[in-house]
Amino acid sequence: MSTGWTWYIIALVVLNIAGCAWLLWWTARRRPNDPKPEETLHTWDGNITEYNKPLPRWWVNLFYITIFFSIGYLFWFGGLGGIPGYSDWSSKREHAWEKAAQDATLEETFKPYAGQSIDQLAKDPEALALGRSIFGNTCAACHGSSGQGAIGYPNLTDNIWHWGGDPDTILQTVLDGREGVMPPWGEVLTETGGPNAVDQTIAYVRALSKPETLAGNAAATAGKALYDGVCIACHGVDGKGNQALGAPDLTDSYWLYGSTDAALRKAIMEGHHGSMPAHRELLGETRVRLVASYVWSLSHPAGAASKANAP
């Protein structure tokens, strides 16, 4: 915090404390002409009176004590801008202490599952229940509470994996994250094949899953040459993709960003950048193994304990 802001806060604190003390003193003192406690200056309807009853001295002293307490609090804990208190306490340090204590407790809870493969953990109902809980707190925001994903967020319950679906690969994905990049190819395709190039490429991509429709399809035939010149490097000759690059299979029925012509046109024209955050530092390796075991179980229910999969 800058020196200017520190002095600004000091001035506010001093004015508030001094103002409270002055107000208490001013309102509590008795003046020579003040009425006695049993006297009144206000009478209504002939017999309704308002008496002058000042606060008891002990009550006023309690207010003074709170003022002195606030001064002691500021001295010990700080609160004057960038000036630390005598104890050198800070909320950041307090949070770090509490987090360390909670992490130690969690470490004991998760210790029995350290180092186990995720397919083995998926057979343990207790481990799977822990993984399901971690998934709900950490992963459900993107992939949904059921793991079925949304536009731009993969469905984890099917057998389609852009980066690979074996246990070690899933674990690696959750530990270190993934960066899936689809470059914008609209300008390149248009310069190469003319104004209809993107639509022709889409036509060929759709024909990849139904090769029998390619014959007699002029747009798809023209799109093949464009595909071979631009898309083949990542998606392969047959459009099956490349899991080493995260390039999706174009021959199945799953489209991460939507299957409409408008969605495909947007993907080719503008590209996409999908990011799966790394969770190694956030959760630690053992908790990642537990949540990865739950993710693996979603697409391998036969090999996982059924107890934790119940809603």
Side-chain angles (χ1 to χ4, degrees):
M1 183 177 292
S2 66
T3 303
W5 279 111
T6 295
W7 279 109
Y8 175 74
I9 293 172
I10 290 174
L12 286 179
V13 171
V14 171
L15 285 173
N16 274 276
I17 292 177
C20 289
W22 176 85
L23 183 63
L24 185 62
W25 169 78
W26 179 260
T27 56
R29 71 191 186 97
R30 291 192 59 80
R31 298 166 181 80
N33 296 327
D34 284 349
K36 295 179 180 179
E38 65 275 7
E39 295 178 351
T40 180
L41 296 178
H42 303 98
T43 303
W44 296 273
D45 296 336
N47 59 357
I48 300 177
T49 57
E50 177 188 28
Y51 290 102
N52 179 31
K53 295 289 187 181
L55 289 173
R57 190 69 197 153
W58 63 270
W59 199 329
V60 174
N61 289 338
L62 284 178
F63 282 114
Y64 281 118
I65 291 173
T66 61
I67 292 174
F68 284 115
F69 175 83
S70 68
I71 296 172
Y73 185 94
L74 289 170
F75 170 77
W76 186 256
F77 290 105
L80 300 176
I83 301 176
Y86 183 78
S87 66
D88 201 30
W89 178 91
S90 72
S91 57
K92 182 178 180 180
R93 192 177 296 109
E94 183 78 10
H95 174 268
W97 290 337
E98 293 182 0
K99 182 178 183 300
Q102 293 297 325
D103 286 346
T105 302
L106 289 174
E107 189 65 28
E108 287 299 314
T109 302
F110 299 130
K111 190 175 181 180
Y113 311 109
Q116 296 189 42
S117 63
I118 67 173
D119 52 336
Q120 290 299 314
L121 286 172
K123 298 176 181 178
D124 184 337
E126 293 184 2
L128 207 57
L130 286 171
R132 186 171 187 265
S133 176
I134 296 169
F135 181 92
N137 289 332
T138 309
C139 315
C142 292
H143 295 284
S145 59
S146 62
Q148 294 183 347
I151 296 296
Y153 301 98
N155 183 353
L156 305 178
T157 65
D158 56 24
N159 60 355
I160 298 172
W161 299 88
H162 292 171
W163 296 90
D166 63 276
D168 289 340
T169 303
I170 293 175
L171 177 62
Q172 192 67 36
T173 297
V174 183
L175 278 172
D176 299 322
R178 300 289 185 184
E179 293 288 332
V181 179
M182 163 71 177
W185 292 109
E187 185 175 343
V188 174
L189 289 171
T190 302
E191 290 178 354
T192 303
N196 297 321
V198 173
D199 290 330
Q200 292 168 347
T201 304
I202 292 174
Y204 179 70
V205 167
R206 291 198 183 281
L208 286 171
S209 59
K210 298 178 180 179
E212 67 277 6
T213 64
L214 187 58
N217 188 334
T221 302
K224 182 181 186 307
L226 296 167
Y227 177 92
D228 290 344
V230 174
C231 315
I232 196 173
C234 294
H235 295 285
V237 175
D238 54 3
K240 295 291 185 181
N242 186 343
Q243 291 184 342
L245 301 174
D249 185 344
L250 303 179
T251 66
D252 57 29
S253 60
Y254 181 71
W255 299 89
L256 181 59
Y257 293 97
S259 59
T260 64
D261 285 346
L264 296 181
R265 190 176 294 107
K266 179 179 175 63
I268 295 174
M269 294 290 294
E270 302 176 14
H272 285 297
H273 184 181
S275 179
M276 161 69 182
H279 287 76
R280 185 189 296 270
E281 295 296 327
L282 177 65
L283 298 176
E285 184 173 335
T286 302
R287 274 183 283 179
V288 167
R289 287 181 181 274
L290 288 167
V291 73
S293 72
Y294 176 71
V295 169
W296 184 85
S297 75
L298 292 175
S299 57
H300 297 80
S306 59
K307 179 180 177 181
N309 284 327

